[in-house]
Amino acid sequence: MAKLYFYYASMNAGKSSTLLQADFNYRERGMRTMLWTARLDTRSEGMVRSRIGLEADAHHYVPETDLYAAVMAAHRIEPVDCVLIDEAQFLTREQVWQCARLADQEGIPIVCYGLRTDFQGELFPGSAALLGIADKLVELKGVCHCGRKATMNLRVDASGAAVREGEQTEVGGNDRYVALCRRHFSEAIGLPK
């Protein structure tokens, strides 16, 4: 029975490289995968890219994309053995349910990778839906500068100062975000002790 998986972590924990390793493993065994990433992340240019230099072509999704219909259209031409979705925090609730339908009704494993929370410690809509209905939740471990597990994503400005307000989504990498443990995140944004 196929399942819906959600691999989640802070920034810089290896989500995209883990996705690309899974893609490689399927393809090495002669199986067909379908990779997706959010069009919102303009850095990707039609690719899933990891910070360690691995990359692969991917389809883009936007909030209006019907993932069930798109995957099934490809599956009818040539069977899809697994769907791998990067930046899954940007999925809509409806898209997460489309992924569940692909696993439940069509028998296609769906493996999602994304952030759990934003720079204010709030759940992303896609992550909230995945945490609620995924068959399997897997936390990938990032590391804070203190050596503890990084679970939070601190947004910083050009001078490295913590940003406390703004839109939930702002695309960026190491220039805009720092993965921290909860303690150092709380200190950086000035939460009461």
Side-chain angles (χ1 to χ4, degrees), residues 167-181:
E167 295 294 319
Q168 183 176 46
T169 301
E170 183 176 310
V171 175
N174 293 342
D175 60 324
R176 296 293 294 149
Y177 295 94
V178 178
L180 298 173
C181 65

Side-chain angles (χ1 to χ4, degrees), residues 71-119:
V71 171
M72 288 308 297
H75 187 66
R76 286 184 194 101
I77 295 168
E78 184 179 353
V80 174
D81 296 296
C82 183
V83 174
L84 301 152
I85 302 174
D86 202 23
E87 305 293 351
Q89 69 271 13
F90 299 131
L91 291 170
T92 65
R93 181 174 175 74
E94 181 179 355
Q95 287 169 327
V96 171
W97 279 100
Q98 290 167 5
C99 290
R101 184 175 169 208
L102 286 163
D104 296 344
Q105 294 179 8
E106 307 302 337
I108 301 171
I110 310 295
V111 190
C112 299
Y113 300 81
L115 299 173
R116 181 177 61 173
T117 59
D118 65 15
F119 76 107

Side-chain angles (χ1 to χ4, degrees), residues 1-181:
M1 178 180 187
K3 293 183 178 177
L4 172 60
Y5 300 84
F6 182 36
Y7 286 74
Y8 64 91
S10 63
M11 302 277 294
N12 298 319
K15 296 176 298 298
S16 296
S17 57
T18 302
L19 179 154
L20 292 166
Q21 180 66 51
D23 177 57
F24 175 82
N25 291 343
Y26 272 95
R27 291 180 181 277
E28 186 177 49
R29 288 163 183 77
M31 299 172 136
R32 183 168 178 240
T33 59
M34 191 172 196
L35 277 59
W36 290 86
T37 191
R39 183 172 303 279
L40 181 66
D41 187 349
T42 55
R43 301 169 301 159
S44 67
E45 300 172 9
M47 308 281 285
V48 171
R49 286 197 172 102
S50 72
R51 287 180 173 81
I52 63 172
L54 303 173
E55 62 183 27
D57 291 331
H59 300 270
H60 276 126
Y61 69 85
V62 295
E64 298 76 29
T65 302
D66 184 332
L67 291 173
Y68 180 86
V71 171
M72 288 308 297
H75 187 66
R76 286 184 194 101
I77 295 168
E78 184 179 353
V80 174
D81 296 296
C82 183
V83 174
L84 301 152
I85 302 174
D86 202 23
E87 305 293 351
Q89 69 271 13
F90 299 131
L91 291 170
T92 65
R93 181 174 175 74
E94 181 179 355
Q95 287 169 327
V96 171
W97 279 100
Q98 290 167 5
C99 290
R101 184 175 169 208
L102 286 163
D104 296 344
Q105 294 179 8
E106 307 302 337
I108 301 171
I110 310 295
V111 190
C112 299
Y113 300 81
L115 299 173
R116 181 177 61 173
T117 59
D118 65 15
F119 76 107
Q120 295 177 317
E122 300 294 329
L123 291 172
F124 283 96
S127 302
L130 284 161
L131 287 167
I133 70 166
D135 297 298
K136 179 121 175 112
L137 301 172
V138 180
E139 182 180 28
L140 299 175
K141 305 292 192 282
V143 180
C144 180
H145 62 79
C146 70
R148 294 162 84 183
K149 179 174 73 170
T151 58
M152 310 300 289
N153 303 298
L154 178 71
R155 184 182 291 170
V156 296
D157 62 19
S159 66
V163 175
R164 292 169 189 81
E165 296 180 357
E167 295 294 319
Q168 183 176 46
T169 301
E170 183 176 310
V171 175
N174 293 342
D175 60 324
R176 296 293 294 149
Y177 295 94
V178 178
L180 298 173
C181 65

